[in-house]
Amino acid sequence: MPRSPLQIWWLVPIVAALALPPLLNGYWLHVLSVSWYYAILAASWALLAGYAGQFSFAHMAFAAIGGYASGLLAVDLHLPVPLGILCGIAAAGIVGAAIGWLCLRMRGPYLSLFTLAFALIFQLMLIAEYQFTRGSLGLSVPEIFAGRSDTPYYYTGFVLLLVSLSAMSFLLRSRVGIFLRALREDEDAAEACGIDTALYKILIFTVTSAIAGLAGGFYGHFVGILTPNLVTIPEMGLVVAMAVVGGVESLPGAVVGAVFVYVLSEVLRDTGQMRFVVLGLLIMLTQRYAQNGLWTLALGRGGRFWRRPPPRAVAPEAAAPAVERETNVG
Amino acid sequence: MFEYFLLQVLNGLVTGLIYALIAAGLTIIFSVLKIVNFGHGALYMLGGYAGYYAIQLLGVPPIPAVFVAMALTFVVGVIFERVMLTPLYSQKVDRKDEYAIIVTFALFMVLENAAIVAFGPFNKRPPSFAEGAVHIGLLTVTYDRLVAAGFAALLLIGLSLFMQRTSVGQALDAVSQSRDAAAIIGIDAKRMFAVAFGLGAALAGGAGALIAPIFSLSPTMGDLPSVQAYVIVVLGGMGSVPGSIIGGILLGIVEGLGVGFYPDANRALAYSNAFGALLLIITLLVRPTGLFGRAHLRME
């Protein structure tokens, strides 16, 4: 079972994060505020890819759907920003459900290819339909808070991160979490155990896409401009790097990975594109030598996961009893 | 109008043959290693630059430079396979599909951004294979396109001869059908994995070197053809080399016609790249095994 996020030691990083802003200069405050956006994305992608095994490349497209929906509603219909963000979340969730439904028969790399193609088409649509989206020039959207200070955004982003983390770990601690891992380990075996795999696949796409939409809405109203660059492969690569480096099977790992990778990429900003080379190598090294991420490794659990002999053929049997037990309890 | 149609078909045929070359490499990697190489487009780009620098710095003539590019990408492919993909063959990795997607995607990130650092973000154009163009009636086709198409066709023919007539090719095919059965008759699967990844990379690199004089080189040139290559590979059926050749030519022609005949010219240009992606989505939805898919090569 995933451990409760409300254990005492969890308060330490939370309090530290709350106390940090007065100690930071404007630049790093901005960097950390943006890193909350990436942390929400990385954690929700980790839930989708790491827990449920749906390796989607469309996550940034859902963030863009949330951002653009909210931004366009605010610009064209003068909707209040919080209401716009809620609509953005709903829009991303609905499209996510549709994509999940379309992907029902696809597994592994096929799903990745499908979502990659979807993200590409969506990005080109944002560019081509410039009369709505302002194309590559970018859509200027109203900001949430008046004034130039990033402090309110820092706290808003952090609260949104905590809220989405709580929602996701609530989901994982319920029986759904175990169904999701069964889905990842062996879809046929899960189906044979009576799990409605179609339902949970659509559910997990809906939930993670809605959370990505929330992140996108926050980001748009924070930086004040949305461009099709949000959906590019390098952006997706950044989120993959965050989740993989932190630990793709751990929500806190993904958050730590997101902050670490984003801060690292800012430290290396002067090196230009070289920083993406460094990030790519970091992904390779992490995958090669610590598949469960540096966070898991740092907690001292890396060795156990890593050396566990995991014969693939045994996975269904390993997943099945857990599911049965849970079904009986429930 | 008919000449225009014919020209689009002809241009489509040339790009189609290049696509087919990239896709054939992807197919060999897929059928032997059972992974999708998400770094394939970057290897294609690397081949283009390798050819360019072989011509500019070493003074190699343009056509032999294609072989230099293929040799270099072969070596890069084998090194990557030895260093990063060996965990796939043991029980070290839990979920092989995800591992392969992540590390090949990271290869793409590293190569593309390293190319921006090393070669600069601006376009480069190597010298032509042959200056001039042929005129047939109202049609004009540059020699570059003819050379590239002819070279690509020769490479594809060579590839199918290699797969059918040589013992290494046969061994690759055997490993792709059953690793265990291949091991029983004494084929060292591990060596075949390295050969397959190197060969796939070399085909992508050769395609990059061939296309360079027609479109110019840029570090991001591999983004799109790699999507096209996935379209072709899925359309033709994962793991089927003839399928990927037919799929490549088909996509090239359809794309050429689609851009040429789209009603709104501005949007046609913006959406020209979405065309292949849409085809990929439709193929995955309607017929995931592709047109020529072999049953035993189902991806799991």
Side-chain angles (χ1 to χ4, degrees):
Chain A
M1 289 297 277
R3 284 156 323 127
S4 159
L6 293 175
Q7 279 171 356
I8 289 301
W9 67 272
W10 275 96
L11 289 174
V12 178
I14 293 176
V15 170
L18 288 176
L20 210 51
L23 304 174
L24 295 170
N25 65 22
Y27 176 69
W28 286 107
L29 190 65
H30 186 84
V31 166
L32 278 182
S33 309
V34 175
S35 81
W36 300 145
Y37 155 75
Y38 281 112
I40 299 174
L41 285 175
S44 52
W45 188 77
L47 178 59
L48 183 66
Y51 276 92
Q54 312 296 314
F55 206 101
S56 160
F57 277 119
H59 213 57
M60 297 311 292
F62 294 120
I65 289 174
Y68 269 93
S70 170
L72 286 172
L73 285 173
V75 171
D76 293 338
L77 300 178
H78 307 292
L79 221 62
V81 169
L83 201 61
I85 292 182
L86 282 180
C87 293
I89 294 171
I94 291 167
V95 180
I99 293 292
W101 179 72
L102 285 174
C103 291
L104 280 178
R105 289 200 309 171
M106 292 166 209
R107 289 173 197 182
Y110 279 116
L111 186 116
S112 304
L113 289 176
F114 183 91
T115 49
L116 188 67
F118 168 75
L120 184 72
I121 292 174
F122 186 73
Q123 188 204 352
L124 291 170
M125 235 174 77
L126 288 179
I127 297 171
E129 306 296 330
Y130 52 87
Q131 63 271 52
F132 300 112
T133 63
R134 314 291 186 277
S136 303
L137 289 175
L139 178 72
S140 294
V141 299
E143 296 175 6
I144 310 175
F145 303 106
R148 294 243 51 93
S149 167
D150 281 333
T151 313
Y153 293 104
Y154 177 94
Y155 286 115
T156 313
F158 190 64
V159 168
L160 292 178
L161 173 63
L162 288 185
V163 168
S164 31
L165 279 181
S166 318
M168 286 188 280
S169 45
F170 172 77
L171 193 72
L172 284 177
R173 272 180 297 133
S174 70
R175 34 191 284 181
V176 176
I178 288 173
F179 292 166
L180 290 177
R181 260 170 294 167
L183 189 68
R184 174 189 74 193
E185 292 299 335
D186 191 318
E187 221 171 299
D188 294 324
E191 186 97 22
C193 293
I195 297 174
D196 189 348
T197 52
L199 174 76
Y200 289 106
K201 219 167 158 178
I202 295 176
L203 175 82
I204 197 63
F205 259 101
T206 314
V207 170
T208 53
S209 308
I211 293 173
L214 167 76
F218 163 71
Y219 181 74
H221 293 291
F222 167 29
V223 299
I225 189 156
L226 288 165
T227 66
N229 286 342
L230 214 62
V231 197
T232 50
I233 297 178
E235 278 290 301
M236 191 64 229
L238 198 58
V239 172
V240 172
M242 289 165 174
V244 168
V245 168
V248 80
E249 287 178 44
S250 140
L251 297 182
V255 171
V256 171
V259 176
F260 172 72
V261 166
Y262 191 66
V263 168
L264 181 72
S265 81
E266 283 301 316
V267 170
L268 297 175
R269 183 168 280 279
D270 290 341
T271 65
Q273 296 298 316
M274 202 58 204
R275 61 200 168 123
F276 291 107
V277 178
V278 173
L279 286 183
L281 291 174
L282 194 62
I283 297 181
M284 285 193 197
L285 282 176
T286 324
Q287 273 295 292
R288 185 73 174 80
Y289 297 107
Q291 267 157 43
N292 288 292
L294 299 180
W295 173 248
T296 325
L297 195 72
L299 289 185
R301 290 182 297 171
R304 185 163 66 86
F305 278 96
W306 186 26
R307 290 199 195 85
R308 178 179 53 162
R312 206 176 158 75
V314 176
E317 284 87 23
V323 169
E324 272 166 14
R325 258 201 317 277
E326 187 63 14
T327 317
N328 293 339
V329 172
Chain B
M1 200 61 192
F2 182 68
E3 269 83 15
Y4 182 66
F5 173 81
L6 218 62
L7 186 67
Q8 292 298 338
V9 170
L10 213 61
N11 280 339
L13 199 67
V14 175
T15 30
L17 280 164
I18 300 287
Y19 287 166
L21 208 54
I22 309 171
L26 202 57
T27 289
I28 288 174
I29 294 174
F30 171 74
S31 61
V32 177
L33 284 94
K34 302 283 183 288
I35 64 165
V36 174
N37 177 18
F38 280 84
H40 211 63
L43 290 163
Y44 162 81
M45 177 271 303
L46 192 67
Y49 277 101
Y52 175 83
Y53 282 106
I55 296 167
Q56 297 293 346
L57 298 180
L58 305 177
V60 180
I63 291 180
V66 177
F67 291 110
V68 174
M70 290 179 73
L72 185 99
T73 40
F74 181 86
V75 172
V76 171
V78 170
I79 291 173
F80 177 76
E81 189 273 343
R82 283 290 94 194
V83 176
M84 289 309 300
L85 295 180
T86 41
L88 284 174
Y89 320 136
S90 63
Q91 298 298 338
K92 253 187 182 171
V93 185
D94 237 341
R95 285 182 301 286
K96 297 185 169 28
D97 278 349
E98 278 87 345
Y99 177 85
I101 297 172
I102 292 172
V103 295
T104 55
F105 183 70
L107 173 72
F108 166 82
M109 268 176 87
V110 169
L111 287 182
E112 185 171 302
N113 290 295
I116 297 175
V117 174
F119 311 137
F122 305 110
N123 287 359
K124 287 188 164 53
R125 187 186 283 268
S128 289
F129 295 117
E131 297 289 346
V134 237
H135 305 275
I136 314 159
L138 292 168
L139 295 178
T140 304
V141 183
T142 60
Y143 282 128
D144 274 340
R145 283 180 188 263
L146 288 180
V147 170
F151 207 127
L154 283 180
L155 282 177
L156 287 168
I157 293 169
L159 176 69
S160 44
L161 287 178
F162 170 79
M163 292 300 279
Q164 283 164 17
R165 299 285 166 82
T166 66
S167 55
V168 178
Q170 290 282 291
L172 284 173
D173 197 24
V175 174
S176 82
Q177 292 181 34
S178 166
R179 285 177 194 180
D180 295 337
I184 288 168
I185 57 167
I187 296 169
D188 182 1
K190 283 189 180 163
R191 237 176 71 207
M192 289 307 131
F193 293 148
V195 170
F197 202 92
L199 188 61
L203 288 170
L210 284 175
I211 205 85
I214 303 174
F215 308 117
S216 32
L217 294 167
S218 75
T220 53
M221 67 189 255
D223 292 8
L224 207 64
S226 61
V227 174
Q228 316 295 47
Y230 303 139
V231 181
I232 294 157
V233 170
V234 173
L235 187 72
M238 281 278 187
S240 157
V241 174
S244 68
I245 294 171
I246 295 167
I249 297 170
L250 208 68
L251 175 75
I253 293 173
V254 168
E255 223 178 31
L257 289 178
V259 175
F261 288 93
Y262 197 87
D264 180 350
N266 266 332
R267 290 229 189 113
L269 211 61
Y271 276 130
S272 62
N273 301 337
F275 212 74
L278 195 65
L279 203 58
L280 175 61
I281 282 187
I282 293 169
T283 316
L284 282 171
L285 286 175
V286 178
R287 199 178 156 80
T289 49
L291 302 173
F292 305 91
R294 285 150 80 180
H296 66 267
L297 289 176
R298 236 179 102 227
M299 189 190 295
E300 273 300 329

